[in-house]
Amino acid sequence: MLTHLHISNFAIVRALEIEWQPGMTTITGETGAGKSISLDALALCLGERADGFVVRPGADKADLVATFDISKLPAAQHWLAQQDLAMGNECIVRRVVGSEGRSRGYINGVQVPAQQLKSLGQLLLSIHGQHAHQLLLKSEHQRQLLDAFADHPTLLQAVKQHWKDWQQLKQEYQQLLTSQQQREAQRQLLEYQVAELDQFAPQQDEFAELETEHQRLSHSAGLIAASQQGLELLTECEEGNALSLLKQASYLLGDASQIDSKLAGIEQMLQEALVQVEEASRELRRYGEKVEVDPERLNDIDERLSQWLTLSRKHQIPNDQLFLHHQHLAQQLQQLAGDDDRLAELELAIARAARSYSEAADKLSQQRQQAALELSHKIERSMAELSMHNARFEIMLQQLPLDKANALGCDHIEFLVSTNPGQPLQAMHKVASGGELSRISLAVQVILADKVTTPTLIFDEVDVGISGPVAAGVGRLLRQLGAATQVICVTHLPQVASQGHQQMFVEKYTDGVHTETRMRTLQDDERVQEIARLLAGENVSASAIANARELLCTP
């Protein structure tokens, strides 16, 4: 609830400190004194648009600070915690507006944008102006009121989730369906490409192996000649070869090492070389026997490599990537085939999701129907208390077809009213006057008081256009509302002002040069005088004072 308001250099207020109490607080004062100025300051403090004209003439800035007790406001506590702005059970909101029009907002001492002030403000208080009851004509607001009275947030959330799931499946299905023609063209291209590559059948690492074999076959004659010459030099040349020369050197050094043992190591090295030469000769002979001149195989490899290069250029990929590219295209083709299967799966899933949504929406409709009957009776009784004795009220629910449903269910909700005997029930905007709408709106507020999420309700002259018994009924209902939540009401009616648990008076002073508005809490005798003034005008009589005392003693 609102506990304190500081106003400095705002409009015609120089400095003002207001302590606010629980229950119903009424604000009265002379016409033009600025009864709504504290409410305007609150609205500005909580994010309303600001400009330099709100700054008191001669001052460089206006400073507005509102303090709230949020110990019983879990929604506000959660919001502040999410924004890293929490400060225990108290919340201090500040707005500074410069004379040049720039403003700064603060929450618990941290500077924030105006949008954050507005978001928090919706969790702290709700301001109802003279025309706020016009909101009651909107179908969406009527639905919100009925759902608040029915108090079924879990069911509402379930309907929203089923709706979301259903719409997501429908969206996926539509996207697949829309791209079907494009996918068909892509499928035809992939089928041709995959079939061509299937026929060619590239194998992993095949290109490198083909290049190696092609290199060997194209130089086979030279390889054979080289291996034969190598054998000649190593072992087969009768005029002299490496093997015979090594043997001769080994024999010589073998004899010499008998004389000088230092030559034994060299002779051992020659023996090892003999072994290596003999092994090399055997390997070279085997190699020469296996190397063959195969023009037909060489031609086949040439043709294979040519096709490989052609396909690589065609698909614009490196030569060694053809195998992987073939696998990738095959996977794409398989995925496209899977899209058709997915379409069939989605059709079944959409039907199941629609049934789940419909079942949840039906349960919601049933609860709304029950709540609508109860709320209609309660509103009708409250209307009678507000001197609408012959009025009838009914909440009509019309179940819409599934194709016109939404995340909030399948119900079209409309408040119907008849204000005169014999008059049929009709939509509120067709038959209800502004004063009647204001009374119906107030009746709804009182009935839903225990469902209200904002702990402070502000009414800015919502009682305009009513008087007498109606005003007394409005006053009683506002006081009843104040028992459940903090109510602040700017009024000019004594029947309403007298119902407040406390009353504040707004007065304007001028010295001929400067004008200033002040606001103070009235004590008992002062309150009697103010109620009497509202009853009789400036010339307060003894009967007016007696009447004022009677009003104040009749809660």
Side-chain angles (χ1 to χ4, degrees), residues 221-261:
L223 292 172
I224 292 172
S227 61
Q228 288 177 345
Q229 290 177 9
L231 277 172
E232 287 284 325
L233 292 172
L234 287 174
T235 59
E236 295 184 357
C237 180
E238 294 180 356
E239 298 175 356
N241 55 67
L243 186 62
S244 62
L245 291 173
L246 282 171
K247 285 180 178 180
Q248 291 178 24
S250 177
Y251 292 150
L252 288 173
L253 291 178
D255 293 339
S257 65
Q258 298 298 318
I259 301 170
D260 188 350
S261 60

Side-chain angles (χ1 to χ4, degrees), residues 6 16 95 97 124 160 185 215 222 250-251 273 306 326 336 369 371 388 398 426 464 470 474-475 490 510 520 531:
H6 164 84
L16 189 60
R95 191 83 177 273
V97 183
L124 298 175
K160 289 179 182 178
Q215 180 82 358
S250 177
Y251 292 150
S306 177
H326 180 204
L336 282 179
Q369 287 284 2
M388 298 177 70
Q398 178 186 1
Q426 296 184 64
V464 170
V470 177
V474 168
V490 174
T510 180
R520 58 189 176 87
I531 297 297

Side-chain angles (χ1 to χ4, degrees), residues 144-394:
Q144 291 174 354
L145 292 174
L146 178 59
D147 283 335
F149 180 76
D151 195 18
H152 44 211
T154 302
L155 184 51
L156 270 173
Q157 185 57 42
V159 170
K160 289 179 182 178
Q161 188 59 52
H162 284 304
W163 169 265
K164 180 181 177 181
D165 295 342
W166 182 26
Q167 297 309 304
Q168 285 178 341
L169 289 169
K170 286 170 66 176
Q171 184 178 9
E172 183 182 352
Y173 181 83
Q174 190 58 46
Q175 288 173 346
L176 280 175
L177 203 61
T178 301
S179 62
Q180 192 171 43
Q181 185 175 0
Q182 180 182 353
R183 292 201 322 276
E184 186 58 34
Q186 187 181 5
R187 185 210 305 276
Q188 291 177 4
L189 175 61
L190 283 172
E191 284 177 343
Y192 167 76
Q193 291 176 327
V194 171
E196 184 180 44
L197 290 171
D198 282 345
Q199 184 176 6
F200 184 68
Q203 301 300 309
Q204 192 169 11
D205 300 327
E206 182 186 0
F207 184 76
E209 293 170 358
L210 286 173
E211 281 193 314
T212 300
E213 188 177 1
H214 184 275
Q215 180 82 358
R216 187 175 63 251
L217 286 173
S218 62
H219 295 85
S220 57
L223 292 172
I224 292 172
S227 61
Q228 288 177 345
Q229 290 177 9
L231 277 172
E232 287 284 325
L233 292 172
L234 287 174
T235 59
E236 295 184 357
C237 180
E238 294 180 356
E239 298 175 356
N241 55 67
L243 186 62
S244 62
L245 291 173
L246 282 171
K247 285 180 178 180
Q248 291 178 24
S250 177
Y251 292 150
L252 288 173
L253 291 178
D255 293 339
S257 65
Q258 298 298 318
I259 301 170
D260 188 350
S261 60
K262 291 181 180 180
L263 295 173
I266 299 173
E267 192 270 339
Q268 179 62 33
M269 292 170 64
L270 290 174
Q271 288 293 328
E272 292 172 358
L274 283 169
V275 174
Q276 291 292 326
V277 169
E278 288 176 344
E279 181 62 26
S281 298
R282 286 193 294 271
E283 289 295 324
L284 195 54
R285 185 175 292 105
R286 281 195 293 270
Y287 174 80
E289 291 171 353
K290 290 180 179 179
V291 174
E292 56 183 347
V293 178
D294 190 346
E296 186 176 346
R297 173 60 181 162
L298 182 59
N299 185 64
D300 290 342
I301 293 175
D302 274 332
E303 186 176 342
R304 179 77 174 169
L305 284 172
S306 177
Q307 291 177 342
W308 194 294
L309 295 172
T310 299
L311 287 170
S312 297
R313 285 194 299 271
K314 184 176 182 179
H315 291 273
Q316 298 180 341
I317 57 171
N319 298 327
D320 58 354
Q321 295 295 312
L322 189 60
F323 170 78
L324 293 176
H325 184 63
H326 180 204
Q327 304 304 309
H328 177 65
L329 293 180
Q331 288 174 358
Q332 283 187 311
L333 183 59
Q334 186 177 6
Q335 184 177 352
L336 282 179
D339 285 345
D340 289 339
D341 295 337
R342 179 60 179 159
L343 279 173
E345 291 174 4
L346 282 172
E347 288 177 355
L348 295 174
I350 288 170
R352 287 194 298 269
R355 284 195 299 272
S356 297
Y357 168 79
S358 184
E359 290 170 1
D362 285 344
K363 290 180 182 178
L364 180 61
S365 292
Q366 292 171 13
Q367 288 201 12
R368 282 173 171 167
Q369 287 284 2
Q370 295 173 0
L373 288 173
E374 185 179 354
L375 181 57
S376 296
H377 293 321
K378 286 179 177 289
I379 292 176
E380 204 167 271
R381 286 197 298 270
S382 291
M383 289 165 65
E385 294 179 23
L386 295 172
S387 300
M388 298 177 70
H389 301 288
N390 297 313
R392 291 184 297 137
F393 186 90
E394 182 179 311

Side-chain angles (χ1 to χ4, degrees), residues 401-546:
L402 207 56
D403 61 342
K404 293 187 178 180
N406 57 45
L408 300 170
C410 297
D411 301 308
H412 172 69
I413 297 168
E414 190 166 23
F415 286 9
L416 305 179
V417 67
S418 169
T419 56
N420 297 303
Q423 183 184 41
L425 288 162
Q426 296 184 64
M428 293 182 65
H429 69 274
K430 294 183 179 180
V431 293
S433 66
E436 289 167 338
L437 273 177
S438 180
R439 282 179 272 171
I440 296 171
S441 177
L442 180 58
V444 172
Q445 289 285 351
V446 173
I447 292 166
L448 295 178
D450 59 339
K451 316 285 186 184
V452 173
T453 56
T454 50
T456 300
L457 293 174
I458 296 176
F459 295 91
D460 188 5
E461 298 196 21
V462 295
D463 50 13
V464 170
I466 62 174
S467 59
V470 177
V474 168
R476 286 193 299 272
L477 282 184
L478 284 172
R479 185 180 179 90
Q480 182 181 339
L481 187 58
T485 186
Q486 185 183 39
V487 172
I488 299 171
C489 179
V490 174
T491 183
H492 66 285
L493 296 176
Q495 297 92 333
V496 175
S498 63
Q499 291 294 325
H501 295 93
Q502 49 272 332
Q503 184 174 343
M504 291 187 172
F505 181 67
V506 179
E507 51 193 342
K508 184 166 59 175
Y509 294 89
T510 180
D511 59 4
V513 179
H514 301 98
T515 301
E516 183 179 334
T517 288
R518 299 175 185 174
M519 186 173 175
R520 58 189 176 87
T521 302
L522 295 178
Q523 303 304 316
D524 293 343
D525 290 341
E526 293 176 315
R527 193 171 181 191
V528 170
Q529 290 292 327
E530 173 60 8
I531 297 297
R533 185 191 68 79
L534 293 174
L535 285 166
E538 295 301 324
N539 298 317
V540 177
S541 64
S543 61
I545 290 177

